[in-house]
Amino acid sequence: GAVVSQHPSRVICKSGTSVKIECRSLDFQATTMFWYRQFPKKSLMLMATSNEGSKATYEQGVEKDKFLINHASLTLSTLTVTSAHPEDSSFYICSAPGRNTEAFFGQGTRLTVV
Amino acid sequence: GEDVEQSLFLSVREGDSSVINCTYTDSSSTYLYWYKQEPGAGLQLLTYIFSNMDMKQDQRLTVLLNKKDKHLSLRIADTQTGDSAIYFCAESRGGGATNKLIFGTGTLLAVQP
């Protein structure tokens, strides 16, 4: 089946630094990818829709300057958490729509900002 | 995510059936999904149902959909300890298979041996 690879799986960074998370569709093309954030013991919250070749669409309340999304190719979307702070610590997960009904999810990235 | 509601916790004994309930809000949702998340891991699609269906069965899993009440349930027959996880329902928004998913609050299923 289709696979979405997300990297890194875990990252620890210092406050004020930026962190880039990659989401790759390995054996299919994805013109659209979705980025979610999951707080501890909470559900997944859709942050933004990444569109290949155009600007991402952000959900209400998500800071676009804080969470930079780039979808430069049909197989790669990146999420950069800029000037990270401890409150940005979370589990970030991407997904890409399949050909039919299924959304394929990456393994997720556990970000810890210290 | 708070638009889609689930009970927070369910505890069952091994071998019993588990029923996880979900109430969603968007009547135009075309697909409804059930995902499983094990600790520290990503999401695994368990099953999905198209909105014009009332029921779907897939091995030990049975999905029931009451579109009038916007109620979705997942029944796991012969629950095993390996079924212990958090279960999320999700509804698709944006029409078709765009897969912009709105997730429920998640139900932690604990299976006692």
Side-chain angles (χ1 to χ4, degrees):
Chain A
V3 175
V4 172
S5 175
Q6 189 172 339
H7 178 80
S9 58
R10 289 181 180 272
V11 58
I12 300 173
C13 71
K14 292 184 177 181
S15 286
T17 61
S18 295
V19 174
K20 180 186 284 188
I21 303 169
E22 293 186 348
C23 182
R24 292 181 185 275
S25 57
L26 293 187
D27 53 359
F28 68 104
Q29 294 181 334
T31 56
T32 302
M33 290 187 180
F34 300 96
W35 286 96
Y36 295 84
R37 180 176 179 177
Q38 185 178 31
F39 293 96
K41 300 181 180 178
K42 295 283 187 182
S43 185
L44 286 85
M45 180 191 75
L46 178 65
M47 298 174 66
T49 303
S50 173
N51 304 299
E52 188 267 334
S54 65
K55 291 183 180 180
T57 306
Y58 289 82
E59 296 298 305
Q60 190 174 6
V62 178
E63 300 176 62
K64 58 183 68 176
D65 295 330
K66 174 76 171 174
F67 300 101
L68 298 179
I69 291 173
N70 185 290
H71 196 147
S73 77
L74 288 170
T75 58
L76 174 64
S77 174
T78 60
L79 168 68
T80 301
V81 183
T82 62
S83 185
H85 290 282
E87 56 265 31
D88 298 325
S89 298
S90 196
F91 188 67
Y92 294 86
I93 193 164
C94 67
S95 77
R99 186 169 298 178
N100 298 312
T101 59
E102 184 169 356
F104 298 100
F105 283 83
Q107 307 94 318
T109 299
R110 174 76 57 194
L111 171 63
T112 304
V113 184
V114 297
Chain B
E2 275 66 46
D3 290 345
V4 183
E5 304 261 341
Q6 295 177 240
S7 51
L8 288 179
F9 182 73
L10 176 65
S11 178
V12 299
R13 289 195 177 276
E14 193 171 19
D16 289 350
S17 293
S18 308
V19 179
I20 302 171
N21 295 303
C22 171
T23 304
Y24 62 99
T25 58
D26 189 352
S27 58
S28 65
S29 293
T30 50
Y31 294 93
L32 295 129
Y33 302 82
W34 282 103
Y35 283 87
K36 177 183 179 182
Q37 185 180 36
E38 297 185 16
L43 294 172
Q44 174 194 355
L45 176 66
L46 290 178
T47 187
Y48 65 91
I49 189 167
F50 188 52
S51 59
N52 68 352
M53 298 168 66
D54 297 324
M55 185 184 84
K56 180 178 180 181
Q57 187 157 2
D58 184 1
Q59 299 182 337
R60 292 193 297 124
L61 306 178
T62 303
V63 179
L64 295 178
L65 175 61
N66 181 329
K67 198 172 179 183
K68 174 176 171 290
D69 295 337
K70 300 192 190 69
H71 184 264
L72 182 72
S73 68
L74 174 69
R75 179 177 180 270
I76 305 173
D78 187 25
T79 312
Q80 303 297 307
T81 54
D83 295 325
S84 294
I86 299 176
Y87 290 80
F88 292 98
C89 63
E91 58 173 341
S92 62
R93 297 230 180 133
T98 58
N99 298 127
K100 177 179 177 179
L101 299 179
I102 304 301
F103 284 85
T105 46
T107 299
L108 174 61
L109 174 64
V111 182
Q112 312 299 327

